[in-house]
Amino acid sequence: MTDLDELLSRFPADIVMLTRQLLDWLGAERPDLTAKVRLGWGSVNFHHPRAGFVVAVFPFRDHVSLIFQNGRLLDSPLLVGETKQVRWIPMRPGEPIAFDDIGLLLVEAIALVG
């Protein structure tokens, strides 16, 4: 069993499908990002060679969050959260995913620190 399989074994099938869809898209959209499963965090974190930790996919029981490390510095109506640093996009199974907008946010997030 891979670390990803172990992480996803904790969640319902619709969350697993959504998580895998996001992970596949991120890998295809940004091949310059390196993914690492963090079992302790319950996430898959993505690092950029220059920008470092940029974004993470966190599955939860009823949704999946795409968390931007420096989300407070990004401006998008998709982002929620009032923390000092991170903001995230919550996604629920069956809802459309704003891939174009997320792609632009990734470019901005990398440019902020890259």
Side-chain angles (χ1 to χ4, degrees):
M1 176 182 285
T2 68
D3 285 349
L4 180 59
D5 292 332
E6 184 177 340
L7 172 66
L8 295 179
S9 70
R10 309 171 191 169
F11 299 99
D14 58 348
I15 295 298
V16 171
M17 284 181 31
L18 178 55
T19 301
R20 287 190 184 278
Q21 183 181 10
L22 284 170
L23 296 175
D24 290 346
W25 180 82
L26 280 165
E29 180 75 11
R30 296 301 310 219
D32 55 338
L33 296 177
T34 303
K36 182 170 183 165
V37 176
R38 306 293 269 176
L39 292 173
W41 286 17
S43 65
V44 180
N45 296 0
F46 288 84
H47 288 78
H48 185 270
R50 288 186 325 276
F53 176 42
V54 177
V55 69
V57 175
F58 276 79
F60 294 97
R61 299 301 292 158
D62 63 343
H63 73 283
V64 178
S65 285
L66 184 63
I67 297 178
F68 285 83
Q69 174 66 9
N70 292 303
R72 294 293 295 157
L73 302 176
L74 299 171
D75 183 28
S76 170
L78 295 175
L79 291 166
V80 300
E82 295 299 325
T83 70
K84 291 181 182 179
Q85 187 169 345
V86 302
R87 291 176 73 204
W88 56 93
I89 302 171
M91 292 172 251
R92 288 181 171 61
E95 293 180 354
I97 300 172
F99 286 120
D100 290 342
D101 294 329
I102 293 169
L104 293 173
L105 282 171
L106 284 169
V107 169
E108 288 180 42
I110 291 167
L112 282 174
V113 291

